[in-house]
Amino acid sequence: MVGFPTPKDPFDAPMRVEADLRGVQVTQGEVPEHLAGTYYKCVIDRQWPSFIENDLELFNGDGMIIAFRFDGGRVDFKSRYVRTPRFVAEEAAGRALFGAYRNPFTDDPSVAGVSRGVANTNVFFHGGKLYVAKEDSPPVIMDPVTLETLGEYDFEGTLTSATSTAHPKFDPVTGEMVFFGYAAKGETTRDIVYYEADRDGRLIHETWFQAPYSSMVHDFAVTQNFVVFPIIPLRSELEWIEKGESHFKWDPHEPVHLGVLPRKGTAADLRWFTGSNRFASHIMGAYDDGRFIHIDTPVGAANYFPWFPDVTGAPYDPERAKGYLSRWTVDTQDATRGFTEFRLCRFAGEFPRMDDRQETLPYSWGVMALLDGPGGHSRPGGGFRWLSGIDLDSGRQQIYWPGEDSTVGEPVFVPGASDAPPGHGYVFVIVGRRAEMRSDLVILDAQRLDAEPVCTLSLPMRIRMGLHGNWVGADELAGRTD
Amino acid sequence: MVGFPTPKDPFDAPMRVEADLRGVQVTQGEVPEHLAGTYYKCVIDRQWPSFIENDLELFNGDGMIIAFRFDGGRVDFKSRYVRTPRFVAEEAAGRALFGAYRNPFTDDPSVAGVSRGVANTNVFFHGGKLYVAKEDSPPVIMDPVTLETLGEYDFEGTLTSATSTAHPKFDPVTGEMVFFGYAAKGETTRDIVYYEADRDGRLIHETWFQAPYSSMVHDFAVTQNFVVFPIIPLRSELEWIEKGESHFKWDPHEPVHLGVLPRKGTAADLRWFTGSNRFASHIMGAYDDGRFIHIDTPVGAANYFPWFPDVTGAPYDPERAKGYLSRWTVDTQDATRGFTEFRLCRFAGEFPRMDDRQETLPYSWGVMALLDGPGGHSRPGGGFRWLSGIDLDSGRQQIYWPGEDSTVGEPVFVPGASDAPPGHGYVFVIVGRRAEMRSDLVILDAQRLDAEPVCTLSLPMRIRMGLHGNWVGADELAGRTD
C-alpha cells in the first residue's frame, strides 16, 4: 500500500494492525483481582488510503474495536477491524472505494448502494449483543469474545431508519435502550426517529418527527420521563455534498432547538425549546424531577470542529470553540421560556462521562477530558492532556495528569463493585506515550483521580486515536446472545 | 503480567503481539509485482517472564513466526506464536513453567515430560509442510497460510531422535531434505542421528553415531556426495546442568572435529577430520568435487556467545570471538591431514546465506550480516548494522547500510525468477528503525546491495529479534499438504 499521508507526529501514523496479546504487562500497581469484564473501545484507523484530498480520517476512517478482557488479575488484549459492508468491499478491492465523509456522490460507482458506515464511534452492549455504531448507518454487531463481525443489524427487520445513533442511553431501571436516528431517511434529511428497545433488544417504541433544520445530532438526553433532541446549528444541506463541499457547516445565525418528548411519546407530544446560537455535542448526564429536565453538556460559543467551515466564511476561532461543562434546564411546563444555562466547570473539556448506573437518574459524579487545564492547552487535533473528575454538587474537581508528552482518550467509569456507591470505582483511560510510540491503559481511582494510578497496563504498541468505549461486566457478558 | 526485565534499549522490550496487517505500506520504491510467495521468519518473544535470573531469551524465548505474503504487488503481514506443547502449558497456567535454557532440572514439576522445545530458530518448507525448528526438540508444523500450529511432528512416527536440527539442507537436484539431531538421546548425550527425507517428506535414511564429545552442533554441511558434522568445542555436560550451570561452556583445549559421511552412508563410513581449537557455527554453503569438500563458514578464534562461559574461567574476548567467513577444505582421501582453512572476507560477520537453489552445489554468491564494517562495530547483543553481498570467485564485496540507528537481521535471498541465474534476485532483510520503534522489510537487489533498495515495506510496530527465515514461492506453497 502506498498513499497514506505522513502525519506531523509519527505517533499519529496509521497502524492498521489487528492484534492479540495475552497477559498485558502491568508496569505499575496491581490489577484489582475482582475486576471481571471487558473494556471495549472504538478506535479509528483507515485501512486503505483515501483518494480524497485531506479527507477526515477521524470521522471517516475505518473503525476498529480494541478490547481489554479482565479476569482474576490477568488482562488480555485483542483488536479487530469492524468488517462493515464497506470494509469488506474495500478489502476485496485492496483499495479505498468510498470517498469523502458522508458524501456518497464521491464514491466509486462499484459500491453504489453499499452501506457507507464505518462503525468507528462507539461500542456498547445491550440485550446480549455487542453493538458498534456510527451515526450515519445501522449498527453492526460483533461477537463480544472473538470480535468477529456478525454484520449490520436491523433489529430482526424492525429498524425502519437508515441511521442509528452512536450514543444510545440505557435506562438502569427498566433495562431499556433508548436511541434514535437522524438523517433517518437519508443524508441531510430532517427526519429523526426515536426508538426504545426492551432489555432483550426488541424494539418497543418508534416515533418519527422532523427537526427545524438538518444538523449533526450526535448525542441526546434521556431521563426517566423525557427524551431531548438537541438541534445544534452544525447544519447539512444536500446541495453542499452534491457540490463536493463539507457535509456539515457551522451556521452562526441559527438558534439551538431542544426537541422534548415524554418517554415513549409520539410526534404529537413533541415540543421545541429554543435558545440562542451556541455549540454542544456530548451529554454527560441528564435527569428530571417530573417538571424540570437538567442536561449537562460542554457548551461552546461556536463550532468545536475546525474542519467544518463556517457558512459565513468566518475563520475557526479556537477560543470560542472551547466547550465548558454547563447545565441546561428545561421547564417542561413553559416552552415559551426556552431553556437556561449554568456553567459547572472552569476548565474547557470534552468526552464527558458519568457512572452509567445513574444514566437517566439524578447524579453528581462525572469525569471528562480537559481541553485546557492547570498546565496550559491540550494538543491541537484532539490530543487531550488531562482528565478531570467533577463532583457536581460541590463543584470540586480533581485532575489527572499522565505525565510529559502523553495524551489521554475518553475516560470510562467502571464500578468498584456492583453495589458500590455512585461514582465509586475506577476510571479507565488509554494514555498515549507519544515519545515511546506506545500506549498504556491506566486505571485510576474514580474518587482520587489525582492520586497515583491503581495500575498501569503497558502495551508495546500504539493505540490509535479513538472515540468512545464502555466497560461490560462479565456477568452481563454471560448473557450474550451472539 | 509483571516481571519482565527492562531492556537497556526500549526497542528490545518484549512485544508478545500476534498481528495481522493487510496491505503493508510501501514507503519507498515499488514491490515487484511478479513476486508471489511468502517470506517466513522466526522471531523470539518470551510470552511469560522467566523465573530464572538473567535467563537467555534469545535462545530460550518463545518462537513466533512472522510472514510477509506477496501477491501481485500487495503484501500482507501476519505473526503468530508457535503453540508448542510448552507454550500451551504455560498459556494455561498464565505464567512460565519451564526454567533455564536447555535445563529440565529447573522446570516446574507440573511440566515433567512435556516437550521443552520453543520453536524459535528457523522456519522452512518441505514436502508440503511448513516446519518450525529448534535444535533441542522435534520440529513443529504450522499451517502455512493461517500460521495455526498443527503440533510437534515425528514424520508419521518415524522420527527416532529426541531432537532435530534447525538447519536442514535441501538438495535441489533430488528434492531431499537432509537433516540430523544431536543430543539425540537426550540433553548432553553424544549421540547424533543423520536423516534424509525424500521430496515428499518421508524418511528414507537414518544413521546413528557418537561425537567425540557432546557439543552444540548448530549447523552442518551437505554436498551432493557428502555430509559433514562440525564438532566445535562449545561443550555440554550433564553434571553442569544438574548443578544449574550453563548448558554450554567454551573449551579452549578441545580440537574441532569434522565428521564426514558419504550421503546416505552408515556409521561404518564415518571418518573424523581434526583441526585446532576454534569457533564456527553457521554454514554459508558447501560443495564437493568427488574428493575435496569445501565448506564456507564464519570462523572465530574463540567462542562467539558472551553468555556461555569459558571452562577455564577466562573472560569473554570480543575480538577473538569475531568470525570471518572462511573456507574449510577436506580431502576425503586423506583423513590424516585434517582440513585446511582460507579466509574469504575482511569483515567479521554472521548469518551467512546463499542462493538456496545452489545448496549442496558449487556456488559463488553469498550474503551475510556484518559484525564490523566500514563504519565501525555493530551493536553489542546481536544487532548487526550492515549486510555484505560477497562474490566468492572475485572476493568482491558490496555493503548495504540501512542508515543511522538501524539494525539488520538475517539476509534471505529470493530468486528474481525461477530461472534467474544464481545470485540474481533479491535480498530480503528486516531492518529495525530503533529510534522510531518500528521495523521495515527492505528488499534489495542481490547484485546491487549498495544501490537504493528496490522497495521498503514499513511496519507500524517493532519486529523483535529473530534468527532465521526463508522465502517460499507460491508455486511451492501450492503443494502444501497441511
Side-chain angles (χ1 to χ4, degrees), chain B residues 68-131:
Chain B
F68 291 87
R69 180 172 175 273
F70 286 69
D71 183 21
R74 173 172 161 181
V75 182
D76 294 344
F77 175 80
K78 185 187 282 289
S79 64
R80 289 293 184 275
Y81 269 113
V82 189
R83 283 175 164 64
T84 58
R86 171 171 170 158
F87 184 97
V88 170
E90 295 191 336
E91 169 72 10
R95 64 186 176 90
L97 298 171
F98 291 79
Y101 169 65
R102 296 182 72 166
N103 190 339
F105 301 108
T106 58
D107 292 346
D108 188 283
S110 67
V111 291
V114 178
S115 174
R116 303 190 84 250
V118 281
N120 70 2
T121 310
N122 198 359
V123 51
F124 46 87
F125 193 82
H126 181 258
K129 289 182 166 52
L130 187 71
Y131 292 83

Side-chain angles (χ1 to χ4, degrees), chain A residues 287-300:
Chain A
Y287 59 95
D288 75 279
D289 62 6
R291 172 176 175 175
F292 291 96
I293 308 170
H294 306 291
I295 302 166
D296 300 337
T297 176
V299 178

